[in-house]
Amino acid sequence: MSAYLILSLSIVAAAAAVFGAALLFMRGYSGDLARAEGDLTSLALALQERTDEALQSVEAVLRDVAGRIPQTCLNANEFDAFAASQATKAVLVGAAHSLSQVVRIDLVNARGRIVGTSNPHPAPEPIYLTDTSHYGALSTDASLIMSLGEPRRVQATGRKILPLARKIKDTEGNFLGIIVSTIDLGHFERIYEDHLKTRSLAITLYRRDGVILAHSPNAERAIGRRIWTPNTPLQRMIARHSPTLIRDVSWIDRKERLIALHPLAHYPAGIAVSRTVAELMAGRRLEARLIRLVAYIMDIAIGTTSLLGLRHVKTGILRAASERYLSRHDILTKLPNRLLFIEELKRTSLTPQRSGTGFALHLLDLDRFKDINDNHGHSAGDEVIQIVARRLRERLRKSDFIARIGGDEFAVIQRPIGSRQQAVDLAIALQAAMKVPCTANNREVEVGLSIGVATAPSDGKTPTELMRAADTALYAAKSDPDSGYRFYDPNIKDTRAERRALEGALKSAHDNREFELFYQPILDLAANQIWGCEALVRWKHPTKGMIPPLEFIPTAEETGLIGPIGDWILEEACSTAMTWDPSLKVAINLSPVQFKRRDVFASVKKALAASGLPARRLVLEITESFKLTEEATTTLKRLKALGVSIALDDFGTGYASMSYLRSFPFDKIKIDQSFVRGMTGSPDSRAIVKATISLANDLKMSTTAEGVETEEQLNALRLAGASQVQGYLIAEPMSREAIAAFLAEGRRARQSEQDDMLGTRSRA
Ligand code: C2E
Ligand code: CA
Ligand code: CA
């Protein structure tokens, strides 16, 4: 055949392919197949992100370790000594332990020898990495900073590993050595395994040259193999390093697969997610045949016209379909996203509803989702979102529509509804779906859901009106912890503007020093003397006057302002306590949020150092709403070791009081006002107070009864054996100046009592 003929044939074939593909596109191609493609593409994208992040965090650790090499050590001889030192070993061990995907970290000098390692067992012989590809690449290529090495299996442990190495340069920019992390590839395979939702799905992490780094399922035969042989069109697509969808007979099972490729953003590697075409096409024979035909024609075209660049056609079309899908769906849950939701809401509002039928718009918001992220990590947060999405979807009819419209927000269009009651039923059902805790990161997480509902056409005719109504109802539901769901009604007051104003005012209040601490004395019953004072914050608002803490602390916690405000409270209270008699203590309330926003240990230490207050004079109060995580417990123990006391505040008001007491050796229990108030009337309250005091005695903790307002309560508490009392009967909280006068008065009174006694004695 002449070259000319081949070329003409190719063009015809390519044209036929384009035509066929276009035809395919027109006839409902955006149905099941497009969805499957979208799923593969979004999964590849999502896994790309997770894998890339996992590698980036390893690299960050390497950068951090390299950054600790002192300038003076940046010449060859001293580098060896630095790397071998005990201090460096500690750094390497710490760094290797900081990430679960890292097995070990080694420092390698310019000659390729390992001179420092996190490995606890020192090697008897020197180890040289001179013949590894990563050392080779980094020592010879001046522009290269980072390199992925060869994957291999460690015989002894069966573990599959991959070196990730970074170059270290001396002060002049010359090659000084490398720092190598050994990554556990099983870490990635375990991540991928969680996503194997259909039978034929396969996920591969490949290096850009086609070498397989990790693969799920059945990873055993995959490692070190090449995903595609070099110099095939497919291989060239990988090399092009941009997201693509392709079809190929796969090395995995020699079956034809639809494969979504996505390169990692920062590394010469990528993710391939594939399913067999047979599985995708089950029940879609006609399309299957058509696609196969087009693919066949196109493959010929690709094979023969690579010079014409027509190879792009197929991937281009597939990509267009998946891009449309991607821009309208949420990757994590596969649900429609906000964009598609708005389109759908418009469509639903425009569709003339049959007489008597309308639809309902439910806006859903997870309660305190930020806490879940903060307490359990973002991957647990993602898992929770996926579980919630699945549970919600299960409660809907086919005709309803659900979308994820924000981080922790979902929207449901319930259509049609015959009565308002139907919408009520669904809201209740959606909430009931969250009764069972979610399991994320192998832990149970309680997830609450607030729902705001608007019905059409009564609450709004346009999508905008409806959204506003549902949103107002949602906000009302959120601000009322008991309600859970709310239907829109025009009387709901939208207090958000007020709240935003409060947030703004709080911010400037801190800058303008509008906060003030009040001090409330605490009386020791045995000694009949003031034991110390609790610091209670107030906001002296320029126009609204004194604002009590319960009105602004929650907002300060939500906005994070509690961080700086809390630091100020610590410093101010400690320095005020320094003006009192050295026998007096000061108690300061800590918010749980402070522990997330701040290094509380450092803040406390700073406040003590700045004021000169001895640690034994400081008591920190925390409540049961405070999650005693391992980290928080460690901080509290370190504070105790300094000499600071820790008190459990508002005891008895939480759900887990008893178990809470067991989890940390508190120095003191503060019995909540509600029990004290009930003591004189209710035998139950009296019993609870007595039991708490004797429990505290057994645990060698002291007790403070709060909110003591009458002599009767005081006597009852004396009888019950409380160590200390606090309340209006003794004194109300007062300003710094007032408390100084109060304490001085007490001192004078004691003094004159003593003088009297001495006087009596000398007279006697
Ligand atoms: P709390 O730690 O339980 O503080 C005791 C509260 O009881 C104070 O209210 C105090 O004024 C009040 N009180 C004291 N004696 C009596 C009494 O005899 N009868 C009655 N009815 N109440 C009494 P306050 O100052 O409004 O503080 C309320 C809550 O705000 C505190 O409860 C605490 O949880 C929080 N808070 C106060 N100051 C701070 C602070 O500096 N930081 C943090 N994180 N929270 C604070
Ligand atoms: Ca308190
Ligand atoms: Ca309290």
Side-chain angles (χ1 to χ4, degrees), residues 743-754:
L743 293 172
E745 178 62 34
R747 212 167 29 239
R748 260 197 304 280
R750 254 200 328 278
Q751 193 61 51
S752 65
E753 211 171 276
Q754 257 168 21

Side-chain angles (χ1 to χ4, degrees), residues 150-168:
E150 297 297 325
R152 81 185 163 83
R153 181 196 296 277
V154 180
Q155 292 302 346
T157 56
R159 196 187 243 155
K160 283 166 287 176
I161 53 161
L162 175 74
L164 171 70
R166 262 185 77 89
K167 184 182 292 183
I168 306 172

Side-chain angles (χ1 to χ4, degrees), residues 236-453:
R236 284 196 293 273
M237 266 180 207
I238 299 181
R240 219 177 28 229
H241 217 51
S242 62
T244 347
L245 264 165
I246 52 171
R247 287 161 62 104
D248 190 33
V249 174
S250 160
W251 62 273
I252 296 169
D253 46 15
R254 309 224 164 278
K255 288 192 182 135
E256 186 168 36
R257 283 178 169 265
L258 184 64
I259 307 158
L261 296 174
H262 207 300
L264 300 194
H266 300 91
Y267 300 89
I271 295 283
V273 181
S274 70
R275 286 176 71 183
T276 60
V277 174
E279 190 188 52
L280 286 172
M281 287 300 136
R284 283 219 153 224
R285 292 280 151 73
L286 185 65
E287 275 91 339
R289 235 171 286 150
L290 246 169
I291 288 173
R292 218 169 287 152
L293 176 70
V294 171
Y296 179 65
I297 297 171
M298 288 179 77
D299 279 345
I300 300 175
I302 288 167
T304 51
T305 65
S306 52
L307 279 177
L308 297 175
L310 280 171
R311 234 187 309 134
H312 302 287
V313 172
K314 184 164 78 173
T315 47
I317 288 170
L318 291 172
R319 201 189 303 166
S322 59
E323 263 162 21
R324 193 190 140 74
Y325 176 92
L326 272 182
S327 65
R328 282 171 173 70
H329 287 80
D330 163 48
I331 291 167
L332 187 64
T333 58
K334 312 270 165 40
L335 291 180
N337 62 12
R338 191 176 194 99
L339 181 65
L340 186 51
F341 164 72
I342 296 292
E343 288 174 0
E344 197 64 26
L345 185 61
K346 272 188 198 143
R347 238 192 315 273
T348 309
S349 323
L350 289 176
T351 314
Q353 302 290 337
R354 270 170 287 129
S355 57
T357 65
F359 69 93
L361 170 62
H362 301 247
L363 291 184
L364 294 76
D365 190 302
L366 298 193
D367 297 336
R368 289 183 302 277
F369 181 65
K370 223 183 123 314
D371 288 354
I372 298 179
N373 269 334
D374 290 352
N375 292 334
H376 304 281
H378 284 268
S379 69
D382 284 357
E383 273 183 74
V384 167
I385 293 287
Q386 284 171 318
I387 295 169
V388 172
R390 201 169 52 236
R391 290 193 192 167
L392 295 177
R393 196 157 37 182
E394 281 164 3
R395 262 102 191 144
L396 302 179
R397 298 170 298 178
K398 256 214 159 81
S399 56
D400 299 335
F401 180 90
I402 177 166
R404 180 182 180 206
I405 58 171
D408 60 345
E409 290 167 61
F410 296 86
V412 170
I413 305 176
Q414 183 187 12
R415 61 192 177 189
I417 52 165
S419 66
R420 193 181 143 98
Q421 186 56 40
Q422 246 182 303
V424 175
D425 293 343
L426 180 64
I428 293 173
L430 292 177
Q431 251 181 346
M434 302 318 305
K435 281 253 161 68
V436 181
C438 300
T439 310
N441 255 359
N442 300 321
R443 260 177 297 182
E444 290 207 335
V445 184
E446 300 267 356
V447 183
L449 199 58
S450 299
I451 307 179
V453 192

Side-chain angles (χ1 to χ4, degrees), residues 473-495:
L474 173 63
Y475 185 71
K478 278 206 101 71
S479 7
D480 175 1
D482 299 326
S483 89
Y485 73 87
R486 277 291 282 272
F487 273 65
Y488 175 74
D489 91 63
N491 299 323
I492 297 180
K493 208 172 112 216
D494 193 343
T495 52

Side-chain angles (χ1 to χ4, degrees), residues 534 621 649-650 670 672 706:
E534 175 175 2
E621 298 189 1
D649 203 355
D650 302 345
K670 296 194 80 174
D672 191 64
E706 296 186 288

Side-chain angles (χ1 to χ4, degrees), residues 7 91 155 202 323 331 343-344 392 402 457 464 530 557 575 596 612 640 760:
L7 194 63
V91 170
Q155 292 302 346
E323 263 162 21
I331 291 167
E343 288 174 0
E344 197 64 26
L392 295 177
I402 177 166
T464 320
I530 298 299
E557 290 178 333
S575 76
K596 282 181 214 141
K640 265 192 87 142
T760 332

